[in-house]
Amino acid sequence: MKSVGNTQKITAAMKMVAASRLKGAQTKMEKSRGIVEPMFRLLGDQPGVDVEKIMIVPLSSDKGLCGGINTTVVKYSKVISGTAEGSETSMTIIGEKARAQMSKIYADALKNVIVDISKVPLTFATASLVADAVLANGAQKHQIIYNRFQSVISFKPTVATVYSSEEYEKAAENGHNKFDEYEIEGPERSEFLLDLAEFKMGAVMYNALLENSTSELGSRMQSMENSTKNAKDMLGKLTLLYNRTRQASITTALIEIISGASALEG
């Protein structure tokens, strides 16, 4: 009973910690959406374009005890990898939990493993470094898989697609994005698209990391609340069982005493 009581205290404390961090993470995450959404409107979002080289980027947490959000990301990553037949597929894994489940299965396709991002507060500069590591592999299509935060109890598995500058240039020429609808002054078209593609990758990575981190906190809060309730119920059942057993032993002892006294009187 003592160990169950200690477990209840630990899970309750973990719930309070997650709840205290959730509001700040949610505010930061909502602001990041304002960076990435204009980039999708400008350069488009067409996940079904066929290319020769595809990079799959599953995002997971470094810590556990947060429900099934990491398992969901791994499942989606496996499905996307299986549907990319005919293309050269590589993978960059972000987060310890995805690494543990996928590094051996996709050892041949694995290019990078990035962990411990959550140990320091996430900034756009950190996300840009991660984006540079992903872009360095030269893939034409990058599919970032993460959990999009909707509410404390709801998270939507999401795939964000970012292409290389060459693919965006082809899309602009074919009228598949709105790049040519704007009068833009600056460097040449190809150089400007390269800058936009790199910035979009950084913005999408920043948003995806924040979305996934906020989803992790919400899921951990719910998981710890459920664990605390289960520990409370178990402690109640154990206490009841202990009291019944104690009462039964006391009753048995009283019966033996009374029976002995009656035998002596007789």
Side-chain angles (χ1 to χ4, degrees):
M1 290 196 303
K2 185 177 180 180
S3 63
V4 175
N6 290 337
T7 301
Q8 182 183 359
K9 292 177 182 178
I10 292 170
T11 55
M14 291 182 69
K15 176 196 170 184
M16 294 300 294
V17 171
S20 66
R21 294 176 57 193
L22 181 62
K23 182 61 179 176
Q26 186 176 351
T27 301
K28 196 173 180 180
M29 173 270 298
E30 289 172 348
K31 290 181 179 178
S32 73
R33 290 179 179 176
I35 302 175
V36 72
E37 288 172 358
M39 299 306 299
F40 278 110
R41 288 198 295 268
L42 175 63
L43 297 177
D45 184 16
Q46 297 175 307
V49 176
D50 293 327
V51 296
E52 293 181 2
K53 295 182 179 180
I54 299 174
M55 169 71 75
I56 299 172
V57 188
L59 265 63
S60 72
S61 66
D62 290 312
K63 299 178 181 178
L65 301 176
C66 53
I69 61 171
N70 294 319
T71 303
T72 303
V73 166
V74 170
K75 287 180 179 178
Y76 270 67
S77 301
K78 290 179 178 179
V79 170
I80 291 173
S81 178
T83 57
E85 297 179 358
S87 300
E88 181 183 338
T89 304
S90 57
M91 186 173 292
T92 292
I93 296 176
I94 300 176
E96 177 61 31
K97 293 304 174 180
R99 184 204 64 79
Q101 297 185 55
M102 303 181 70
S103 59
K104 291 183 179 179
I105 301 174
Y106 298 100
D108 295 336
L110 189 59
K111 298 296 184 182
N112 297 304
V113 176
I114 303 172
V115 297
D116 294 337
I117 293 179
S118 60
K119 285 189 175 181
V120 295
L122 182 65
T123 62
F124 190 83
T126 304
S128 297
L129 291 174
V130 176
D132 288 343
V134 173
L135 290 170
N137 293 282
Q140 298 159 312
K141 180 179 180 179
H142 309 85
Q143 293 185 294
I144 303 168
I145 303 145
Y146 63 97
N147 290 283
R148 182 179 175 85
F149 182 85
Q150 292 184 307
S151 69
V152 177
I153 59 173
S154 178
F155 324 102
K156 183 180 179 182
T158 303
V159 181
T161 305
V162 181
Y163 291 95
S164 64
S165 59
E166 292 82 4
E167 293 300 318
Y168 283 128
E169 190 164 3
K170 291 178 184 177
E173 291 172 355
N174 296 325
H176 293 157
N177 61 36
K178 297 182 179 181
F179 180 77
D180 288 334
E181 295 181 11
Y182 296 87
E183 291 186 10
I184 300 174
E185 295 182 1
E188 295 181 358
R189 177 193 180 95
S190 58
E191 184 180 351
F192 194 73
L193 278 169
L194 176 61
D195 292 341
L196 282 176
E198 291 177 351
F199 179 78
K200 182 179 180 181
M201 173 60 83
V204 169
M205 186 63 69
Y206 180 59
N207 173 250
L209 288 169
L210 287 174
E211 295 271 5
N212 209 68
S213 176
T214 308
S215 299
E216 177 191 350
L217 291 173
S219 183
R220 180 172 290 117
M221 196 175 88
Q222 289 299 118
S223 298
M224 292 303 99
E225 182 179 358
N226 294 334
S227 297
T228 302
K229 289 180 180 178
N230 292 337
K232 183 179 180 180
D233 292 342
M234 182 179 292
L235 185 60
K237 291 178 181 179
L238 289 173
T239 302
L240 181 61
L241 179 62
Y242 171 77
N243 289 336
R244 285 178 176 175
T245 305
R246 183 168 172 271
Q247 288 174 354
S249 63
I250 292 172
T251 302
T252 302
L254 287 173
I255 291 173
E256 291 176 353
I257 292 171
I258 293 170
S259 297
S262 299
L264 291 174
E265 289 177 2

